[in-house]
Amino acid sequence: MYLKHRLLLGTFFLFSLQAFAQSYQRTSLGVKATIQSMNVEVQFYSPRIVRVLKSPEGVAVKRESLSVIKLPQQVPLTVSEQNNIVTLKSELSVVQLNLSTGKVAFADLSASPLFTEKDYGAQFTPIKDADNATYAVRQAFLLNKDEVIYGLGQQQNGKLNQRGQKVYLKQENTRVCIPFFQSVKGYGIFWDNYSPTTFSDNVQETSFDSEVGTCLDYYFMYGGSADGVVAQMRDLTGQAPMMPMWVYGFSQSRERYKTQFELMDVVKKYRALKIPLDGIVQDWQYWGKDNNWNAMSFDSTTFPRPQNMVDSVHNLKAHLFIVSWPGFAPQTKQYQEFKSKNMLINFDTWPPNANTKPYDVYNPQARDIYWSYLNKGVFSLGIDAWWLDSTEPDHINIKERDYDQPTFLGTYRSVHNAFPLMHTKGVYDHQRATSSAKRVILLTRSAFAGQQRYSANTWSGDVSSNWPTFKRQIPAAVNFSLTGLPYWNADIGGFFAGSFVKGGGAKNPDFQELYVRWMQFATFTPMMRSHGTDIPREIYQFGTRGDWAFDVQEKFINMRYHLLPYLYSTAWNVTHNAGSIIRSLYSSFGADKQGYENNTEFMFGPSFLVSPVTEKGSKTQSVYLPAGATWFNFWTGEKYEGGKSINQETPIEIVPLYVKAGSIIPWGPEVQYAAEKKWDNLEIRIYAGANGEFTLYEDEGDNYNYEKGAYTETTFKWDDAQRSLTILDKKGSFKGMIGGRKFNLVLVKTKNGAGNQLSKAAKVITYKGKQQVVKL
């Protein structure tokens, strides 16, 4: 009996050693271990950012990210082990690695759980990717039952909260697919894989499942808030440079201007009507017929004097976008050169039946060749901005073998989702190397993580002209911003407007209503741009002054220009402080859970709450005012306490717009283009009811001298109790900056609940860059 008991004890002891005596190894960035026939490595990139790498045992992994550019820093860590759990603690976060199951879990310093994998949640399924033996990779996680998450790029599902979704993340027109989400618990997850990936969330688990991957690779970011997570994502994947001031004005486009004379006529008409305009866009076929698709040169019949066209646009104080595609027709020189060097990806792209093929954007030499043609044929003429269309890219007559096609970095399947990132990289890097006189502007139809560093402004694609599609653009824009990319826009009125043609096109009252409401929304997005097919969208197509469809457009285009000092300063906050222009209610009011799933409203910068009218024939609209602030109706000055919904009348000339108490709004002059007048006599609107601060940013308007410190910041601080505004010493300098200037200080008040009444106690002061305190 005694001997049997000893044998049982010995057997249990040996089993215990086998079950729990797993080992781990310290590394310069964290720890690594082999668990369940799987290599697991935890790497601290900063006290807030942690990378998790997993791969099958025996598989060598040497991986350089296309999205991540941050180099890991040496992070002081406390590492301990207890009960087969390795705990790594930085000054800001805690990570635990289970040596038995391979599960990685994350917590804050108070040991409150933030995010966790499932036990045994990693999967590696052997597959053949073309002729390459590799894996499909999957990782499952566990979220709290009521946890709200945002992101995934730009989806057209109409939802803000992405819980309960199964989304196939593969780039396509109207859908920008980025395997990233952030949580209201203050963390973000970036799944660093470029193959088509299924994101799934259900009651059992949340998972990423990628079709191709030699390893499982993701980043955990602890930001503490929406803004904090965005800042960490930018730290990881790159900051967004400043765009020129003019691009924040109004741009006009059409599918398409057929001659240079047609394009010039549009600019001339805007100037004659005194309607503000800064950008004009030339869409496709300026190169001639489709068999010359994307030749990057102007057809001699329809664009006989392209240099004269560019110069004329500039003489009228406007700027020119030119479209460029990633695919080439066989007749072009580019196609022939790329083909001879095996730098085409062999599938059909737009247009159909033209045998057009995309170039290998993943090949640095191919990107060099692409720019050499673009520079010689177009940029050398003085073009101001690029419209990079079809950056998903379009894929015609899809066949499964198309994804087996080789690229410089592997099969097309393995890198598909990063196509827009690499394409924009090529154009941005080459223009920066060619000239610093103009800031790069890339209007692009798709995006991937990190693309903000290439000065890309992504539009929502060729969406349809109808009210449900319009409504879906709001959560699409907000989720895109919460993914970490700050610049987004949409075709005003939607792209495909054919259903309105029979009713009179731009004179069709139904289309006019949709278009005007969409323009009101666009006034409060990072780019205000009119574009579409079937119906020309220039303001004069809708009527003349005195016609409501004309007058309301003019009102909101002018408003956009009044907002330029506010918007340009907000853009500086994007570049300088990793901020955002389009903001969720959660981003600004994280303590108010009623705003977490609000998919009809957003913040425009720090001060404006926007509730676009997205229902046909709407006469009133319910607007939720977040708790934690007092709100002013922008149009009437009426004041409301937050934390409740109100009904607002919505005549066609009004979009619900509220300003947070404590806001300081610089209100720009009336102009015909962004740089027409200096900001030497700005109105400064103050919304009392809370303390506030705003920094006015100014620079040379274009070029990259701001990167060398050529800019100024003027900070305004409002003390609500003292009713005083302090204007601090101006910081910095640049060539041509304003010396002495006037500020018209206005305290916004209500008068009988009607009209945006401004205090009669407004003061005009002269400011010469030295601190002043003004009582109001």
Side-chain angles (χ1 to χ4, degrees), residues 490-758:
D491 295 344
I492 296 176
F495 182 72
F496 292 110
S499 61
F500 295 99
V501 172
K502 286 186 178 179
K507 299 293 176 60
N508 182 332
D510 290 338
F511 181 69
Q512 289 180 333
E513 182 185 5
L514 175 65
Y515 184 84
V516 165
R517 289 303 194 187
W518 206 313
M519 175 172 276
Q520 291 169 344
F521 165 55
T523 304
F524 306 99
T525 63
M527 187 178 190
M528 187 182 189
R529 181 185 57 87
S530 171
H531 180 67
T533 192
D534 303 312
I535 298 173
R537 316 291 174 88
E538 295 81 16
I539 188 172
Y540 48 81
Q541 308 283 356
F542 293 82
T544 59
R545 283 193 176 89
D547 296 324
W548 67 265
F550 184 104
D551 291 348
V552 178
Q553 288 185 60
E554 183 177 22
K555 172 182 177 177
F556 279 89
I557 293 172
N558 277 316
M559 185 175 183
R560 175 72 171 200
Y561 281 84
H562 286 308
L563 287 168
L564 276 183
Y566 172 83
L567 178 53
Y568 199 55
S569 299
T570 302
W572 173 240
N573 184 57
V574 168
T575 295
H576 196 56
N577 299 312
S580 300
I581 297 172
I582 293 178
R583 300 169 55 75
S584 66
L585 300 194
Y586 160 67
S587 300
S588 292
F589 305 96
D592 184 359
K593 293 184 178 180
Q594 290 190 69
Y596 283 7
E597 298 190 57
N598 188 316
N599 65 351
T600 61
E601 302 173 17
F602 63 96
M603 295 293 293
F604 176 62
S607 299
F608 290 95
L609 175 72
V610 189
S611 180
V613 178
T614 58
E615 299 292 336
K616 177 178 169 56
S618 173
K619 302 300 182 184
T620 62
Q621 182 156 300
S622 177
V623 180
Y624 178 70
L625 301 176
T630 301
W631 297 92
F632 288 81
N633 183 319
F634 173 82
W635 306 108
T636 67
E638 290 174 278
K639 191 162 67 171
Y640 302 87
E641 291 303 315
K644 61 183 179 182
S645 295
I646 62 170
N647 286 321
Q648 181 180 325
E649 293 183 357
T650 55
I652 193 65
E653 72 274 10
I654 294 296
V655 61
L657 184 65
Y658 290 81
V659 186
K660 185 177 66 174
S663 294
I664 302 168
I665 308 295
W667 193 252
E670 188 168 309
V671 293
Q672 298 304 297
Y673 54 92
E676 183 185 17
K677 297 177 184 177
K678 291 182 177 293
W679 297 344
D680 55 358
N681 192 11
L682 281 183
E683 181 174 287
I684 306 297
R685 297 185 177 184
I686 301 152
Y687 291 79
N691 293 337
E693 182 175 327
F694 186 85
T695 297
L696 177 68
Y697 172 83
E698 297 168 276
D699 63 17
E700 295 173 22
D702 209 338
N703 73 47
Y704 288 95
N705 290 340
Y706 77 89
E707 293 182 342
K708 305 172 185 176
Y711 62 87
T712 61
E713 294 176 306
T714 305
T715 298
F716 300 80
K717 291 187 175 182
W718 171 250
D719 186 320
D720 200 59
Q722 297 298 318
R723 282 314 215 232
S724 68
L725 181 73
T726 301
I727 309 173
L728 301 181
D729 290 349
K730 180 168 63 178
K731 295 181 180 179
S733 65
F734 62 89
K735 183 180 179 181
M737 73 176 186
I738 298 169
R741 70 199 306 172
K742 291 182 179 179
F743 288 129
N744 182 21
L745 308 178
V746 177
L747 198 61
V748 177
K749 292 185 177 179
T750 305
K751 185 177 181 180
N752 300 325
N756 191 5
Q757 301 294 332
L758 304 181

Side-chain angles (χ1 to χ4, degrees), residues 32 90 105 171 188 242 268 332 403 421 433 473 478 489 714 755:
K32 64 181 181 180
S90 77
Q171 307 286 22
M242 282 294 287
K268 290 174 182 177
T332 61
Y403 293 95
L421 177 70
Q473 301 315 293
V478 175
N489 69 104
T714 305

